[in-house]
Amino acid sequence: MKILKIQTLRGPNYWSIRYHKLIVVRLDLEDLADRPSDSITGFYEGLVATLPSLDDHFCSPGHQGGFLKRVRNGTMMGHIVEHVALELQTLVGLELGFGRTRETSSPGTYQVVFEYKDERAGRYAARAAVRLCRSIVDTGHYPEADLKQDLEDLAEILGEAPLGPSTESIVLEAESRRIPWSVVPVRSMIQFGYGIYQRRIQATQTDSTGILGVELACDKEGTKNILGNFGIPVPRGTVITYFDELENAIAEVGGYPIVIKPLDGNHGRGITLDIRNWLEAEEAYDAAQEAAKNRGVIIEHYYTGRDHRVLVVGGKVVAVAERVPAHVVGNGQSTIEELIEETNRDPRRGDGHTNVLTKIHADRTTWQLLERKGYTLQTVLHEGEICHLRATANLSTGGIAIDRTDEIHPENLWLAQRIVKIIGLDIAGIDIVTDDISRPLRENNGVVVEVNAAPGFRMHVSPSVGQARNVAAPVIDLLYPPGSPSRIPIISITGTNGKTTTTRLIAHLFKQTGQVTGYTTTDGTYIGDHLVEAGDNTGPQSANLILNDPTVEVAVLETARGGILRSGLAFDRSDVGVVLNVAADHLGLGDIDTVEQMAHLKSVVAEAVNPNGYAVLNAEDDRVVAMAERTPAQVAYFSLDPQNPIVKAHTEKGGLAAVYEDGFITLIKGTWIARVQEAARCPITFGGRAPFMIANALAATVAAFAQGVEVEAIRQGLLTFTSSSQQTPGRMNLFNLGSYHALVDYAHNAASYEALGQFVRNWPGQRIGVVGGPGDRRDEDFVNLGKLSVDIFDRIVVKEDDDTRGRPRGDAAHHIKEGIRAAKPEADYDTILDESTAIETTLDQAPAGSLVVILPESVSRAISLIQARNPIDETPETAKPVAQS
């Protein structure tokens, strides 16, 4: 039993549309069902002894204990690994339940899929589950110490999660509203929304938080001065820079008791409260200096009272909490040290900010407080006696929070809302010391101690006592007021052939509306008319570049098979999903071995469309038509045949479709019909002589229309989009070389060869093909390409890709020639393996009136070789007329 590969899926994928974060483990293992019955019993007993909580798993039987029943009867070991990985995560507080296990086409190799929330924890759980199962198979048990270590490691990983409690609460609120989010890989920022509607936060600061407000809030003395000038009750205090100023400063603020804290501190670091003598003041000054970023130290009069945090978001008070310093309560028997240990055993307490409460750790302040009372850690407190271990009430040092939101006096509420306007913050935490927050501050000598930018939410989201407050909701309301959008339109395109041309054409149609359109294709990522990144960019990473760009208003994303398999979609849902066709290509890769499996994979694009959007489907492809049953969206069809029964039945019910009727690209919706453009006038159709290009135009037309592009804009876009090396490199690029023509097209599978042949066979002169295919196809695929080539070309030059993708040099060409000979033993063909040499030689020997069709590995190289011969033009309208069949 061994792990072959672990990968992460983040969006809708081949395994699941609903669950968007999955771990996929490729395992080489033996089925439990293939083992002797006594071995199965032994494994079952060892598994139950190790993880008795697996009895809670229902599994397919649909009742408690259903999973263990399947184990007892013998089941796939991958299935057991799946459940163990889920249970390990559940035991550290993650509520997860989705999993799948499937055997691959390689005997003994399985794909195990299960849900995760934290990627590192999910990957760890996968490895731990395999270790656990392997140990039980080999020894009959899994050591208790190993399981304990696994759970401790998982808990530690979760404790290091990139989202703190405040950020996580905002993210969860965004998720509940279907607002997309992602981690910006710098400065712990989170981005919400897509394109021009994106917003960002860092902890609880937003991209609208004013830097002047933040700077002022960080200047504690400056904040106090400006609030005092506005009549806000603040502590008497002063700032010093040197120790020899301390004595005069104490006298200036009215003598003891005093507070000493750093001018620019946070989280209570370096603060000492209730200082009552010179020795304590000296120690407190040193602590403040150590925590200060600059030399400034604040000396303030100490005001007795309870510590309150008032949270203001968008100018409104949304929560109030009383913060109680870390403390223990005596029982008449235990020492203070024992009481601390007992308190820290509370499962709500942990280290750092990830738990509801933080563990208490004794430090300098603790010793001072104990010494003041004449206590040590070994002192036994009386029953009910409270002993404070911290002077400050920060939750990060072990304090607790009591919700007081419903108790704040209206005058104090008004004061807090006025304060944030004075300082200039959209989100702020105001620290108030008062005996009773339900009375006005002026009545009980209450003061505003600090104003905090980026205040923590933990005390409000998970108070120790009282009602939890959803303080994240007003933050999201601040970022996205009710009714405002967070998403840009997303159009996703997939299929075996035609994806790039259709993607570029849809993007071109949207450009007619004046919107900034970002799009991804096999030759690059583009924003507007600018190439952002060259390369085969049809996966989630390139899509994320478009979705996260703040200038993009519409995203048009070519979505290829490989990206969906490797990482899923980059988005949880789209507005339009286009499926052009499904044919035999890339079979045998990624455990996709049949056309039916390929159709299931590509149906992800249709299934991920939101219910108000459209799945645009090819009505002439039965496998694509079947996707209408799987999509939650509305359906729009396209077809070259206006009498297609699927289309007719659909439009008679009021459905949307695009058809090729009487030479026109035509839109139909119920009884409404619009002739958008004559196909022969659309440059990409080569005067209407390239049916597969007409099909691409139909798909693009109905997709754009479904997303609100006006018919006139579509009409103009179809007239101005050309199949040139500039707009669609490698997609039917026709060059006039004087006495003959050259055509470059990236056809590389049987379906694309057949589509290309519909155009090439009509050429009146000799037809010459420079053919090949990617090396990662099956032998029979190359043989088929050879057979198809004979049917298309009068003469064939067989070349090979520079990157053979693991095949021996010449092997792919050998199989293509095998197909040529099988189809036509007397065929005219030659072999020139080097692609550049094959292109140059064929162009040199091309007879007058001929068409040289180049099916290259490198489109840019092929185009460069042709352009070096100074072609007359590259416009389909001026291409030599061909006979109509």
Side-chain angles (χ1 to χ4, degrees):
M1 184 189 309
K2 63 180 180 180
I3 295 176
L4 302 176
K5 182 181 180 181
I6 299 179
Q7 69 185 93
T8 306
L9 298 177
R10 300 175 187 272
N13 56 76
Y14 181 66
W15 295 95
S16 174
I17 297 297
R18 178 183 171 193
Y19 295 90
H20 301 312
K21 297 173 72 173
L22 301 177
I23 297 292
V24 182
V25 188
R26 191 175 179 87
L27 286 175
D28 184 5
L29 46 80
E30 176 187 357
D31 276 351
L32 187 62
D34 295 337
R35 301 176 69 86
S37 58
D38 58 342
S39 177
I40 294 175
T41 300
F43 181 89
Y44 169 80
E45 292 173 349
L47 184 64
V48 172
T50 304
L51 288 174
S53 51
L54 285 172
D55 187 53
D56 294 332
H57 290 216
F58 281 39
C59 199
S60 55
H63 58 78
Q64 185 174 354
F67 166 67
L68 289 179
K69 179 179 179 180
R70 291 194 61 185
V71 175
R72 190 165 52 245
N73 294 333
T75 186
M76 294 182 291
M77 185 62 73
H79 181 215
I80 298 171
V81 168
E82 167 201 325
H83 279 263
V84 170
L86 287 170
E87 184 59 23
L88 290 175
Q89 295 180 88
T90 300
L91 290 173
V92 292
L94 301 175
E95 296 183 7
L96 304 168
F98 178 81
R100 292 285 185 273
T101 299
R102 297 288 184 270
E103 187 173 15
T104 69
S105 55
S106 302
T109 301
Y110 291 79
Q111 295 276 37
V112 177
V113 180
F114 61 87
E115 189 181 4
Y116 75 90
K117 287 188 178 178
D118 180 88
E119 181 176 342
R120 286 180 59 209
R123 287 176 175 270
Y124 184 98
R127 293 189 293 270
V130 172
R131 282 198 306 272
L132 186 150
C133 291
R134 184 190 295 127
S135 176
I136 296 176
V137 167
D138 294 340
T139 68
H141 76 288
Y142 189 59
E144 183 178 347
D146 290 355
L147 178 61
K148 180 181 178 183
Q149 186 64 56
D150 287 337
L151 297 178
E152 288 177 355
D153 289 347
L154 279 169
E156 182 178 347
I157 290 171
L158 292 176
E160 297 170 353
L163 301 182
S166 301
T167 307
E168 184 176 33
S169 69
I170 301 172
V171 164
L172 291 174
E173 179 64 23
E175 286 183 347
S176 73
R177 304 186 189 194
R178 302 292 302 268
I179 296 173
W181 68 276
S182 61
V183 177
V184 179
V186 291
R187 301 186 65 81
S188 302
M189 286 192 291
I190 301 294
Q191 176 173 307
F192 297 104
Y194 291 143
I196 60 170
Y197 300 122
Q198 66 172 258
R199 300 296 304 272
R200 291 177 183 172
I201 64 169
Q202 183 183 53
T204 58
Q205 288 183 357
T206 77
D207 50 20
S208 295
T209 302
I211 187 169
L212 294 181
V214 173
E215 292 289 338
L216 183 55
C218 290
D219 180 356
K220 304 303 182 185
E221 186 66 12
T223 297
K224 188 175 67 174
N225 288 338
I226 195 171
L227 292 181
N229 291 339
F230 278 89
I232 309 296
V234 294
R236 286 179 291 161
T238 187
V239 177
I240 64 174
T241 308
Y242 300 101
F243 177 74
D244 57 14
E245 301 174 283
L246 179 59
E247 189 172 1
N248 288 336
I250 294 173
E252 184 180 338
V253 301
Y256 301 109
I258 61 170
V259 176
I260 296 181
K261 57 186 176 181
L263 180 62
D264 52 4
N266 56 33
H267 294 299
R269 297 185 184 96
I271 297 178
T272 306
L273 304 180
D274 196 16
I275 299 166
R276 298 177 178 272
N277 57 59
W278 178 252
L279 180 59
E280 291 178 359
E282 285 183 309
E283 293 179 356
Y285 177 86
D286 291 339
Q289 277 281 5
E290 185 177 348
K293 296 176 184 176
N294 55 44
R295 296 186 58 82
V297 173
I298 297 176
I299 314 298
E300 287 181 348
H301 181 72
Y302 177 65
Y303 292 80
T304 59
R306 291 182 286 173
D307 185 339
H308 298 81
R309 166 63 63 82
V310 180
L311 181 65
V312 184
V313 178
K316 301 293 184 183
V317 171
V318 297
V320 180
E322 178 187 344
R323 298 182 295 180
V324 180
H327 64 279
V328 292
V329 181
N331 58 15
Q333 299 177 348
S334 303
T335 67
I336 292 174
E337 185 174 37
E338 290 170 339
L339 291 172
I340 292 174
E341 292 175 357
E342 182 181 347
T343 300
N344 285 339
R345 282 195 287 270
D346 185 335
R348 296 178 299 168
R349 289 190 182 268
D351 292 311
H353 297 270
T354 55
N355 291 69
V356 174
L357 298 170
T358 300
K359 289 184 177 180
I360 300 171
H361 298 285
D363 65 1
R364 178 188 66 85
T365 303
T366 308
W367 317 134
Q368 288 179 336
L369 292 173
L370 293 178
E371 286 174 8
R372 186 175 292 171
K373 287 190 169 187
Y375 290 171
T376 70
L377 288 176
Q378 303 310 313
T379 299
V380 175
L381 300 177
H382 297 296
E383 178 80 29
E385 181 183 357
I386 297 175
C387 179
H388 286 98
L389 304 170
R390 283 288 190 284
T392 59
N394 296 73
L395 268 65
S396 58
T397 58
I400 66 171
I402 303 170
D403 179 66
R404 302 290 187 192
T405 305
D406 296 330
E407 300 175 27
I408 186 171
H409 190 277
E411 184 173 307
N412 295 339
L413 186 147
W414 167 80
L415 196 67
Q417 294 175 170
R418 180 169 169 247
I419 286 170
V420 296
K421 285 182 168 45
I422 293 170
I423 300 302
L425 290 171
D426 56 349
I427 300 175
I430 302 170
D431 292 342
I432 296 176
V433 173
T434 179
D435 287 328
D436 187 354
I437 197 69
S438 66
R439 294 171 55 204
L441 297 190
R442 55 184 170 78
E443 291 184 4
N444 57 7
N445 201 31
V447 290
V448 175
V449 178
E450 287 185 5
V451 178
N452 298 274
F457 286 0
R458 181 166 56 146
M459 69 188 78
H460 308 297
V461 173
S462 302
S464 313
V465 179
Q467 181 179 336
R469 304 290 172 171
N470 182 5
V471 295
V475 175
I476 295 297
D477 287 339
L478 188 67
L479 298 173
Y480 295 102
S484 61
S486 63
R487 298 170 179 261
I488 59 174
I490 298 174
I491 297 87
S492 178
I493 302 96
T494 196
T496 302
N497 296 301
K499 296 186 296 295
T500 298
T501 298
T502 305
T503 298
R504 283 180 166 273
L505 178 51
I506 291 173
H508 183 74
L509 297 181
F510 273 98
K511 287 179 186 178
Q512 310 308 305
T513 68
Q515 298 177 89
V516 176
T517 304
Y519 58 101
T520 61
T521 71
T522 54
D523 52 78
T525 299
Y526 298 80
I527 296 177
D529 296 323
H530 302 283
L531 173 65
V532 176
E533 189 173 57
D536 187 349
N537 297 337
T538 57
Q541 184 175 353
S542 304
N544 277 323
L545 187 157
I546 295 298
L547 296 174
N548 292 334
D549 190 281
T551 67
V552 173
E553 297 175 89
V554 179
V556 183
L557 308 173
E558 181 177 344
T559 307
R561 162 207 63 88
I564 301 175
L565 277 176
R566 286 190 302 272
S567 304
L569 300 180
F571 46 85
D572 59 346
R573 55 193 173 101
S574 65
D575 299 278
V576 178
V578 181
V579 185
L580 297 171
N581 41 61
V582 179
D585 190 26
H586 296 97
L587 298 182
L589 301 175
D591 299 307
I592 303 298
D593 301 309
T594 67
V595 179
E596 286 69 30
Q597 289 174 333
M598 184 65 74
H600 180 195
L601 173 65
K602 292 185 181 295
S603 71
V604 169
V605 168
E607 292 180 67
V609 183
N610 71 59
N612 295 325
Y614 273 93
V616 175
L617 306 177
N618 184 348
E620 298 176 17
D621 188 319
D622 292 342
R623 295 185 181 89
V624 176
V625 170
M627 297 177 191
E629 299 299 320
R630 304 181 63 172
T631 181
Q634 305 172 82
V635 173
Y637 289 108
F638 66 94
S639 173
L640 289 166
D641 178 11
Q643 301 304 315
N644 182 290
I646 299 293
V647 171
K648 287 187 71 65
H650 181 67
T651 55
E652 285 173 0
K653 295 178 182 178
L656 176 64
V659 297
Y660 180 47
E661 184 178 43
D662 296 332
F664 281 83
I665 292 170
T666 303
L667 284 168
I668 304 173
K669 184 172 177 57
T671 58
W672 175 82
I673 299 176
R675 289 189 164 185
V676 180
Q677 188 57 264
E678 187 178 1
R681 297 187 61 198
C682 302
I684 66 163
T685 71
F686 292 84
R689 298 187 294 271
F692 64 97
M693 284 295 199
I694 298 175
N696 292 339
L698 289 169
T701 295
V702 72
F705 182 78
Q707 191 51 41
V709 180
E710 298 289 340
V711 170
E712 186 54 43
I714 296 173
R715 181 178 293 123
Q716 183 63 27
L718 291 172
L719 282 176
T720 55
F721 185 80
T722 62
S723 185
S724 66
S725 59
Q726 286 75 40
Q727 282 195 302
T728 54
R731 273 72 187 175
M732 290 291 287
N733 307 144
L734 185 63
F735 300 86
N736 184 345
L737 291 168
S739 63
Y740 67 98
H741 285 72
L743 179 70
V744 176
D745 191 85
Y746 187 61
H748 57 280
N749 56 53
S752 57
Y753 268 51
E754 290 170 349
L756 180 66
Q758 295 174 354
F759 173 79
V760 174
R761 276 190 288 265
N762 290 327
W763 195 266
Q766 187 178 19
R767 306 181 300 274
I768 306 166
V770 181
V771 306
D776 57 359
R777 291 347 187 236
R778 301 170 302 177
D779 292 351
E780 58 263 39
D781 294 330
F782 289 111
V783 172
N784 193 28
L785 293 184
K787 293 177 179 178
L788 291 169
S789 297
V790 170
D791 188 49
I792 300 171
F793 304 111
D794 302 312
R795 182 170 181 271
I796 304 167
V797 177
V798 181
K799 53 90 179 177
E800 200 164 72
D801 290 357
D802 293 343
D803 180 4
T804 63
R805 306 192 186 188
R807 280 183 176 270
R809 189 69 176 159
D811 189 60
H814 167 76
H815 291 295
I816 290 175
K817 289 185 288 184
E818 181 183 340
I820 292 173
R821 290 190 295 269
K824 188 177 180 181
E826 70 280 10
D828 181 7
Y829 71 92
D830 194 5
T831 304
I832 306 176
L833 292 183
D834 179 72
E835 182 169 282
S836 295
T837 304
I839 293 171
E840 292 277 37
T841 301
T842 305
L843 293 175
D844 288 341
Q845 298 174 356
S850 65
L851 174 67
V852 176
V853 180
I854 301 166
L855 311 179
E857 172 193 26
S858 172
V859 170
S860 59
R861 178 173 57 195
I863 290 173
S864 295
L865 292 173
I866 292 172
Q867 289 177 333
R869 295 169 181 264
N870 299 316
I872 297 172
D873 58 51
E874 194 194 341
T875 24
E877 293 91 337
T878 60
K880 186 174 181 178
V882 298
Q884 296 296 305
S885 59

